Amino acid sequence: MEKNKKRLFGMVAALLLVLFLLLLGFWAANRAHENKRHQDTLERVKKTKMIHWGVKTDTKLFGLVNTKSGQSEGFDVDLAKALTKQIGKQLGLELTPSFTPVNASSKVQLLKNTNIDGVMAVMTITKERAKVVDFSNPYFPAGNALLVRKDSGVQSIKDLNDPSKTILIALGTTAADTVKKEAPKAKVLALQDYASAMQALKAGQGQAIVTDNAILYGLVAENPDYQVVGGIMGYAPYGIAFDHNQPGMVKQANQALESLEKDGTYNTLIKKWFSQVPGLDLSQLEVQS
Amino acid sequence: MTLFNHYSALFFSGFGYTILASLIALVASLILGTFFALLQLSKKRFLAMLGNAYVQFLRNVPLLIITLFFYLAVAKVIKMTGFVSGTVALSLYTSAFIAESVRAGILAIDHGQMEGALANGLSYGQAMSRVVLPQAFKVALPSLGNQLINLVKNSSILAFVGGLDLMYQGNLVAASSFDTFTSYLVVGLFYLVLTLPLSYVMQYLEEHLQESR
Amino acid sequence: MTDFINALTQDNLSYLLQGLGITVAVSLLSIIISLILGSVVGIVMFEKIPYFSSLVGTLNNIVRNLPLLLIIFFSYFALPQIGIRLPVFWSTVVAMSFFEAAMLSEIIRGGLDAIDKGQFEGARSTGLSNRQTMTHIILPQAYKKMIPPLISQLISLVKDTSLASGVVLADLTFRGQVVYAQNSHFIVPVLIFMTFCYFIVNYLLSLLAKHLDRLLA
């Protein structure tokens, strides 16, 4: 009798657990569906009086953590602060910026998941990405370039169009497309971040790094044995990314960006960060009025 | 399901690299682990200390740090890919745990067996490799099995160093499809295909060995 | 050597040590939560309730056989897709507690199995209820036996928090990566320093385990 009771109890409990798990599954599927529904970023910003920006932690000149403050510092961060203030002015609100560290592979995920409102993290505007996020107007003129050892003899990416060559890129960047177009025969190795890519280049795991010119200049500043060759492959400027279908937020950001370019704030920030890069002509970056 | 069809080539290639890394690391860590277990049990105090230091050191440091060390520092001197540096780190890390299992196995074997074998004219090396070690492995089998499961799971560390494994490919799929939920579920299923059968075999062996004792 | 001095400036050093603090905080929180969860699951598996226990055991096995890295990524990147949005610190704690609870429940079930069956009968014959027997007689003994394996689990937790650097938790490992992003000459010194930190914390824990083992034996 006792045994039968226990058996019955076990069966009921097991059934309840299965039922619970099934319900959980349905709930999750439902929530996933609901969550794909539109959420207005601008409304959220107005309500919370904050703009959450995703910024880099390991990219010199754009977003590198200062270990004293624990905060990212760089052109992206300063521009995001200025934009937050400007957007606040436009909306007649006092907005506070907040910064969340992102890496190349997590930035769009976090945007989609609405952990952050905007991404200001050396992100190139591409058609492919524009299908899943909204971009502001370009905020920084960038393009892919090639970094090689000074004594390597490589003059352009065409020299690497060979199955015996490996080109290094960072995960989730546009470099993959550039390499596919310019050197389709070369092998490609995608690494977690630029520091790993630089390390891999030094270790001889590849013959070159392909990534944005501005980032390569940051690497050259630290590694004088290396140089940028072959010019810029395609103009591929950086943009601020927002979640998909956010015309309100994008309009505010574009308007704010234009104001900052007009009142000279933009050029001041360019000077602040890029005058330290050897071999970079600042007038290429500054906005001409 | 559509996600899986679309990206199945990536998933399967990652699965292959995960298996390859696990197999290489398994063989390497068994050899290294046995060697260091013997070193730990050596009568010479210096050798025993050396063995101990090796095991204690590797057991108390995260696998990721060891991997990064090979990937970022050692690879500067000896050129190797992310896959190789990850697999080397995985082998060393696992060898410390295997050394502990094998050592416990050897200690569990009756001391008399060694003496008996020696008395029969076998050398120390012969007695160890022919009499004691085979039995020690048998005793240590369940715990070695657990280490193998951990090894397969830990191979996901390769994702940090561009190691082309299942986790690495899963991240790529998640990043390009934006369906993170499904991508990671698929990755999870692939891992379970490897680890679940292993774990049931181990449970069976554990019960079986207990009975025969 | 100069790389060492340049890499470990006072600012960088205190930045890294704060990271160690986060590592320890995540580990402690996770071990406490997973101990509670793991006890419940462990007792269910030990009780061998028909159907229910084996179902729970199977689910538990599935969790145990997944890589922790996958669970950490899942909890940070995938859960928000069903509306569960946690800051990275808590998402890591959730992932680690979930995974560790599955590991601990096995240890707890093993600990309970190792206790003499006669004790149950003895305690019950003195008039204690089932639940009283469990909480007053059996569990304290089981926990005592389980302290050494628990500490070794805590050691793996401390090591495994390093995986959360992949979702940008500002732990010791992530902060190390930030410091050597300043200058690639810092890589080796920073890695050595991180190794040293993890080793000291874990080695002290393992000494504690040994000490307790001797004390309780």
Side-chain angles (χ1 to χ4, degrees):
Chain A
M1 200 57 223
E2 177 74 14
K3 212 176 167 185
N4 272 338
K5 224 175 171 180
K6 204 173 174 184
R7 179 164 236 159
L8 190 69
F9 172 73
M11 212 187 285
V12 170
L15 278 174
L16 281 177
L17 184 59
V18 170
L19 205 66
F20 172 73
L21 289 175
L22 279 177
L23 281 176
L24 198 70
F26 276 125
W27 177 80
N30 200 25
R31 284 295 292 256
H33 193 71
E34 228 169 76
N35 237 58
K36 281 189 185 134
R37 266 207 332 236
H38 191 64
Q39 286 191 28
D40 196 78
T41 309
L42 190 59
E43 287 305 314
R44 195 167 60 233
V45 165
K46 280 182 191 162
K47 208 163 77 186
T48 57
K49 294 204 170 67
M50 284 183 94
I51 303 184
H52 297 269
W53 298 98
V55 292
K56 300 285 284 182
T57 57
D58 60 355
T59 310
K60 272 203 184 133
L61 308 173
F62 290 90
L64 180 71
V65 170
N66 175 334
T67 51
K68 193 168 188 174
S69 62
Q71 296 294 321
S72 282
E73 290 175 0
F75 179 74
D76 279 349
V77 179
D78 281 354
L79 189 59
K81 281 181 189 158
L83 280 171
T84 309
K85 214 167 147 193
Q86 186 64 32
I87 293 174
K89 238 185 244 167
Q90 291 164 15
L91 298 173
L93 291 168
E94 186 92 14
L95 295 185
T96 329
S98 121
F99 295 97
T100 304
V102 297
N103 57 28
S105 52
S106 77
K107 57 193 175 194
V108 180
Q109 303 272 17
L110 294 179
L111 202 57
K112 292 265 147 198
N113 293 344
T114 68
N115 289 43
I116 51 180
D117 302 312
V119 172
M120 194 87 169
V122 292
M123 195 167 171
T124 312
I125 302 172
T126 64
K127 270 189 199 143
E128 198 60 32
R129 284 178 179 162
K131 283 181 200 156
V132 287
V133 297
D134 279 9
F135 279 110
S136 69
N137 292 334
Y139 77 87
F140 186 85
N144 278 319
L146 195 66
L147 179 74
V148 295
R149 265 191 84 89
K150 268 189 178 155
D151 55 15
S152 68
V154 175
Q155 286 305 321
S156 90
I157 195 163
K158 296 286 173 228
D159 297 341
L160 297 171
N161 190 15
D162 186 294
S164 69
K165 307 288 188 198
T166 302
I167 294 174
L168 307 162
I169 61 171
L171 255 180
T173 62
T174 55
D177 304 327
T178 304
V179 174
K180 217 181 258 168
K181 208 169 94 195
E182 305 283 336
K185 288 186 193 152
K187 271 193 222 121
V188 176
L189 185 64
L191 295 135
Q192 198 73 26
D193 49 50
Y194 302 114
S196 309
M198 190 65 212
Q199 230 26 65
L201 181 64
K202 285 185 176 172
Q205 289 178 21
Q207 284 70 47
I209 298 178
V210 171
T211 196
D212 294 330
N213 53 347
I215 285 166
L216 292 183
Y217 281 119
L219 293 174
V220 171
E222 185 203 310
N223 302 283
D225 292 344
Y226 292 80
Q227 61 181 358
V228 178
V229 296
I232 290 178
M233 294 170 270
Y235 170 67
Y238 297 156
I240 311 162
F242 299 99
D243 197 359
H244 204 34
N245 204 4
Q246 301 292 346
M249 190 66 198
V250 173
K251 197 179 148 216
Q252 291 294 335
N254 283 337
Q255 198 185 328
L257 190 60
E258 210 184 312
S259 309
L260 293 179
E261 286 174 354
K262 274 195 187 130
D263 72 8
T265 314
Y266 183 88
N267 283 356
T268 315
L269 291 180
I270 288 281
K271 252 190 219 102
K272 177 179 171 192
W273 289 102
F274 295 96
S275 55
Q276 45 184 307
V277 178
L280 191 63
D281 181 7
L282 279 190
S283 68
Q284 287 177 357
L285 304 180
E286 287 173 350
V287 187
Q288 314 301 334
S289 48
Chain B
M1 213 56 226
T2 45
L3 178 116
F4 179 72
N5 286 336
H6 195 227
Y7 294 101
S8 62
L10 283 183
F11 282 123
F12 277 109
S13 115
F15 191 55
Y17 275 106
T18 291
I19 294 176
L20 184 64
S22 304
L23 282 180
I24 296 173
L26 175 67
V27 174
S29 61
L30 270 177
I31 296 170
L32 274 173
T34 311
F35 173 74
F36 279 100
L38 291 176
L39 216 55
Q40 276 184 295
L41 293 169
S42 162
K43 295 256 156 47
K44 298 204 176 72
R45 185 168 288 172
F46 172 70
L47 291 181
M49 255 170 59
L50 202 69
N52 250 325
Y54 174 88
V55 170
Q56 285 303 336
F57 179 73
L58 286 174
R59 277 172 61 101
N60 287 315
V61 175
L63 172 58
L64 180 56
I65 302 283
I66 304 170
T67 308
L68 288 176
F69 186 76
F70 275 91
Y71 186 63
L72 297 176
V74 178
K76 249 194 226 176
V77 189
I78 309 160
K79 303 193 169 170
M80 52 179 156
T81 63
F83 178 79
V84 174
S85 36
T87 310
V88 170
L90 191 59
S91 307
L92 291 182
Y93 181 77
T94 312
S95 76
F97 291 87
I98 289 194
E100 283 291 89
S101 304
V102 173
R103 190 181 72 112
I106 294 174
L107 288 176
I109 302 300
D110 188 15
H111 208 65
Q113 299 228 10
M114 184 60 155
E115 278 157 22
L118 289 177
N120 276 328
L122 291 179
S123 73
Y124 178 82
Q126 285 170 326
M128 202 33 121
S129 62
R130 288 187 203 162
V131 181
V132 178
L133 271 184
Q135 295 183 67
F137 273 118
K138 210 169 174 184
V139 175
L141 202 56
S143 97
L144 287 176
N146 280 330
Q147 295 312 332
L148 175 58
I149 295 171
N150 283 338
L151 170 65
V152 175
K153 293 195 291 176
N154 284 338
S155 70
S156 57
I157 205 80
L158 269 82
F160 276 94
V161 291
L164 311 175
D165 71 315
L166 196 47
M167 193 69 215
Y168 170 87
Q169 303 290 12
N171 284 338
L172 283 187
V173 173
S176 56
S177 71
F178 298 109
D179 191 350
T180 323
F181 207 85
T182 322
S183 310
Y184 287 145
L185 280 185
V186 172
V187 172
L189 284 179
F190 267 105
Y191 275 108
L192 287 178
V193 166
L194 289 177
T195 51
L196 258 190
L198 275 174
S199 95
Y200 281 110
V201 170
M202 285 313 137
Q203 267 176 20
Y204 173 79
L205 280 179
E206 223 165 307
E207 278 156 26
H208 206 69
L209 285 178
Q210 258 174 8
E211 271 167 28
S212 70
R213 229 176 262 157
Chain C
M1 202 56 220
T2 51
D3 282 345
F4 248 100
I5 295 160
N6 291 334
L8 301 175
T9 59
Q10 206 184 342
D11 287 342
N12 286 354
L13 205 60
S14 77
Y15 180 70
L16 288 170
L17 288 176
Q18 282 166 33
L20 184 64
I22 291 180
T23 295
V24 170
V26 168
S27 310
L28 282 180
L29 275 170
S30 306
I31 199 90
I32 292 168
I33 298 170
S34 57
L35 191 57
I36 298 167
L37 265 174
S39 296
V40 174
V41 176
I43 291 170
V44 167
M45 292 198 297
F46 165 75
E47 285 287 352
K48 300 205 175 57
I49 304 163
Y51 307 110
F52 188 57
S53 292
S54 55
L55 179 64
V56 171
T58 309
L59 293 174
N60 200 58
N61 240 335
I62 289 176
V63 177
R64 260 159 44 90
N65 282 297
L66 288 170
L68 175 59
L69 184 61
L70 179 70
I71 299 177
I72 290 175
F73 274 56
F74 189 87
S75 137
Y76 190 55
F77 289 137
L79 283 189
Q81 294 198 335
I82 55 167
I84 303 172
R85 202 168 288 106
L86 297 168
V88 64
F89 181 87
W90 290 106
S91 117
T92 308
V93 170
V94 166
M96 300 203 78
S97 305
F98 185 68
F99 177 77
E100 288 301 323
M103 302 301 265
L104 287 181
S105 65
E106 275 296 325
I107 295 176
I108 286 161
R109 186 192 57 92
L112 290 174
D113 274 341
I115 288 167
D116 190 13
K117 291 272 185 294
Q119 296 219 14
F120 276 96
E121 280 144 31
R124 270 174 216 167
S125 67
T126 60
L128 289 177
S129 74
N130 256 345
R131 186 179 299 163
Q132 284 170 327
T133 313
M134 204 47 157
T135 50
H136 296 302
I137 313 282
I138 307 298
L139 275 182
Q141 291 185 60
Y143 282 135
K144 220 187 226 175
K145 278 210 177 110
M146 284 168 332
I147 285 175
L150 276 179
I151 291 181
S152 74
Q153 209 56 38
L154 182 58
I155 294 176
S156 346
L157 253 169
V158 172
K159 290 191 293 181
D160 289 344
T161 42
S162 64
L163 297 175
S165 64
V167 292
V168 203
L169 172 74
D171 75 326
L172 179 57
T173 304
F174 175 76
R175 287 176 182 229
Q177 290 167 345
V178 163
V179 171
Y180 64 62
Q182 296 168 351
N183 184 326
S184 57
H185 292 293
F186 293 174
I187 289 178
V188 174
V190 170
L191 281 176
I192 291 176
F193 177 75
M194 288 197 282
T195 307
F196 176 78
C197 287
Y198 280 112
F199 182 79
I200 291 294
V201 170
N202 287 331
Y203 191 66
L204 288 179
L205 282 174
S206 74
L207 286 185
L208 180 70
K210 253 189 203 149
H211 181 71
L212 286 174
D213 206 14
R214 217 169 291 147
L215 210 68
L216 297 171

